[in-house]
């Protein structure tokens, strides 16, 4: 099995790391946020909910590049900047994963890497197939 770096259009880290890495069917992301390329504050929506929606869209794009989808996610590790945003995160989470018997595990912690990053996550997924999706 060969390790494969995954990159997606419209998202990159300011450090020399890919959006995700795949080894066989196992896919893990680095930190995924709801802003633009890098961490320029001007590229981030001001509203928490908008950043969450963009983050979930970005995770879906990363998984698609790995040959999978949100259905393949085993765990989200989510960081939010303020505990007051937990209810909004839960509302959006339940909208994304409406079946309570088929939701990924989730760990939540408080504190993000930059003040304008209101939410970010890391994802662990197991993608069926050969892992030959296009990046």
């Amino acid at each position: 099995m060969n390790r494969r770096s995954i990159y997606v259009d419209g998202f990159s880290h300011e450090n020399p790391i890919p959006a995700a890495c795949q080894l066989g069917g196992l896919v893990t992301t680095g930190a995924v946020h709801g802003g633009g390329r890098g961490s320029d504050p001007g590229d981030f929506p001001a509203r928490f909910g908008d950043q969450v929606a963009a983050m979930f869209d970005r995770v879906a794009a990363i998984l698609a590049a790995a040959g999978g989808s949100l259905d393949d996610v085993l765990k989200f590790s989510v960081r939010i900047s303020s505990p007051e945003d937990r209810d909004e995160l839960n509302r959006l989470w339940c909208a994304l994963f409406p079946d309570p018997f088929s939701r990924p595990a989730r760990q939540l912690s408080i504190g993000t890497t930059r003040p304008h990053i209101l939410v970010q996550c890391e994802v662990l997924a197991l993608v069926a197939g050969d892992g030959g999706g296009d990046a």
Side-chain angles (χ1 to χ4, degrees), residues 55-71:
M55 178 187 74
F56 285 152
D57 287 347
R58 180 146 305 128
V59 169
I62 290 167
L63 292 172
S69 73
L70 289 168
D71 291 335

Side-chain angles (χ1 to χ4, degrees), residues 49-85:
D50 292 340
Q51 284 195 26
V52 173
M55 178 187 74
F56 285 152
D57 287 347
R58 180 146 305 128
V59 169
I62 290 167
L63 292 172
S69 73
L70 289 168
D71 291 335
D72 300 314
V73 175
L74 297 169
K75 182 179 180 185
F76 271 82
S77 296
V78 180
R79 291 186 281 179
I80 58 177
S81 61
S82 172
E84 289 78 27
D85 291 323

